[in-house]
Amino acid sequence: MKAIVYEKYGSSDVLQLKEVEKPTPKENEVLIKVHAASLNAGDWHALRGTPFLQRLESGFPRPNIQILGADAAGIVEAVGANVTGFQPGDEVYADLYWCGFGAFAEYVCIPEKAAALKPANISFEEAAAVPQAAFTALHAIRDQGKVQAGQKVLINGASGGVGTFAVQIAQYFGADVTGVCSTRNVEIVRSIGADRVIDYTQEDFTQNGQCYDLIIDIAANHSLADLKRVLSDQGICVVVGFSTLVHMLGVTLLGPWMSRNGSKKLGMLMPKEDETDLNVMKEILETGKVVSVIDRQYAFTEIPEAIRYLEEGHARGKIVITMKNIN
Ligand SMILES: NC(=O)c1ccc[n+]([C@@H]2O[C@H](COP(=O)([O-])OP(=O)(O)OC[C@H]3O[C@@H](n4cnc5c(N)ncnc54)[C@H](OP(=O)(O)O)[C@@H]3O)[C@@H](O)[C@H]2O)c1
């Protein structure tokens, strides 16, 4: 099968289109013919091996996986002997983050628990856009943010992959949502349901006197002290993005310290595996109240170019890879 492979850390230039062995499912695995994949910041962090601590997870001195891609949608081609939930021909979408990535290939084998039936009302491309970005938003808003209907929620970085899901998921839970983005994205953020939009080139949300019950900080461009000041009493701030390793460690260490007195809570979002996510998001997507916002769609052979674009940090929604020219 064809795959986009990397054997050493570096920029998109180290990615190569190669012919590799087609995998065979183990007892608890399904073999998926990939129809679409999507890109996430985790792909380019693993590609570059940055921040350097990333290499504790991705391997040192060389990466221990060769095929990136944590989000996939496709059709089950074969199942292992102990698989009970799927059969060949099922249309599925999958979260490969916890099982070694591998979506940037014609086929991938994953544990049964990492897949769910694709929402019936959306395309493979729309389904592939969902897992990492939507689960990140769901964990930040529902789990760590403990959102309640009627609360005032601010999403800083509302126009990117995570942000476009965060705005819609906060709305889905009944919140009053303010999105922060640049001028060119104001209409998109409004169109996906934000009650208010702040253009960060015109206004600093930490300086305008407004307070929020929940802040989801994806852009990660404000100090914790500024974020704490604009939290309501009992407010929660979940920092999702990070600009540098120092920023991430700073939030991880300072957040609990700054939350020790008083009622405001601040902290970094910690990634977690939750086997229910795929089915929870399937139900939400099937209501039509949350949709995938796709910025650009690239062909399989254009994955290096797609990663270069994502790394620029100005995606409007998700970057999707379609296998239509391969299948
Ligand atoms: N993708 C994931 O699954 C995931 C999971 C966990 C954590 N994260 C982290 O979350 C962060 C964002 O991820 P993403 O996938 O959403 O990135 P993305 O798709 O690349 O989007 C980045 C967005 O940030 C906006 N932005 C840039 N500067 C901003 C500012 N000063 N204020 C407000 N918005 C600003 C950009 O909009 P403009 O073009 O308008 O500036 C762009 O829409 C990254 O640090 C990533 O490591 C991502």
Side-chain angles (χ1 to χ4, degrees):
M1 68 168 186
K2 293 186 181 62
I4 300 290
V5 171
Y6 83 125
E7 287 158 354
K8 59 180 181 187
Y9 292 115
S11 70
S12 279
D13 297 341
V14 304
L15 292 168
Q16 294 172 280
L17 175 62
K18 277 197 167 176
E19 203 59 46
V20 301
E21 200 174 329
K22 182 177 167 184
T24 309
K26 298 192 186 86
E27 284 182 342
N28 68 334
E29 288 184 339
V30 292
L31 171 68
I32 296 171
K33 184 173 174 67
V34 179
H35 282 240
S38 84
L39 307 189
N40 294 287
D43 291 310
W44 65 260
H45 285 302
L47 173 64
R48 290 189 178 269
T50 57
F52 204 76
L53 272 184
Q54 165 82 37
R55 298 187 190 202
L56 293 177
E57 194 183 322
S58 339
F60 187 82
R62 288 177 175 275
N64 49 25
I65 56 163
Q66 269 80 51
I67 306 174
L68 293 167
D71 294 338
I75 297 182
V76 173
E77 180 153 302
V79 299
N82 294 342
V83 169
T84 53
F86 299 100
Q87 54 189 21
D90 283 345
E91 295 190 349
V92 295
Y93 78 130
D95 172 9
L96 285 61
Y97 184 83
W98 303 99
C99 57
F101 288 58
F104 299 162
E106 282 185 273
Y107 295 90
V108 65
C109 275
I110 55 168
E112 175 177 24
K113 66 178 186 178
L117 290 176
K118 177 175 83 59
N121 56 329
I122 64 175
S123 66
F124 286 114
E125 286 74 16
E126 288 165 328
V130 173
Q132 305 316 311
F135 300 167
T136 299
L138 190 64
H139 295 165
I141 292 166
R142 180 196 61 184
D143 304 343
Q144 210 160 317
K146 300 181 175 47
V147 73
Q148 303 288 324
Q151 281 189 327
K152 287 177 71 180
V153 175
L154 179 128
I155 312 290
N156 182 34
S159 54
V162 178
T164 49
F165 278 110
V167 167
Q168 298 179 82
I169 288 171
Q171 272 285 348
Y172 179 84
F173 286 116
D176 177 278
V177 182
T178 300
V180 181
C181 63
S182 67
T183 315
R184 71 187 188 113
N185 293 324
V186 167
E187 274 320 306
I188 292 178
V189 173
R190 214 188 299 279
S191 74
I192 54 173
D195 298 284
R196 266 164 300 283
V197 183
I198 295 175
D199 176 347
Y200 70 74
T201 68
Q202 306 293 320
E203 188 179 342
D204 179 344
F205 76 87
T206 66
Q207 304 294 332
N208 66 5
Q210 295 296 311
C211 287
Y212 300 91
D213 303 305
L214 173 61
I215 297 175
I216 306 296
D217 183 17
I218 304 164
N221 59 332
H222 289 281
S223 69
L224 280 185
D226 280 348
L227 295 169
K228 187 174 182 183
R229 199 182 55 250
V230 294
L231 275 181
S232 324
D233 278 349
Q234 315 289 331
I236 297 177
C237 173
V238 183
V239 180
V240 171
F242 58 92
S243 42
T244 59
L245 180 62
V246 171
H247 172 268
M248 184 173 69
L249 291 176
V251 176
T252 306
L253 298 173
L254 276 179
W257 185 76
M258 289 174 69
S259 309
R260 73 196 187 290
N261 295 322
S263 59
K264 302 179 182 183
K265 302 275 176 251
L266 298 95
M268 194 86 206
L269 179 71
M270 291 302 161
K272 64 164 186 173
E273 184 175 13
D274 185 339
E275 289 174 22
T276 65
D277 285 342
L278 284 160
N279 283 316
V280 167
M281 274 315 298
K282 176 177 184 293
E283 276 180 30
I284 294 177
L285 291 156
E286 284 179 344
T287 66
K289 291 181 179 165
V290 174
V291 299
S292 298
V293 177
I294 294 178
D295 175 1
R296 292 188 183 181
Q297 191 167 294
Y298 288 84
F300 178 61
T301 51
E302 295 172 332
I303 286 176
E305 196 182 326
I307 292 180
R308 263 180 228 115
Y309 175 64
L310 183 69
E311 274 193 278
E312 287 170 13
H314 294 289
R316 302 163 107 171
K318 289 287 299 179
I319 314 301
V320 169
I321 307 302
T322 178
M323 303 294 282
K324 276 184 184 141
N325 54 338
I326 297 280
N327 292 326

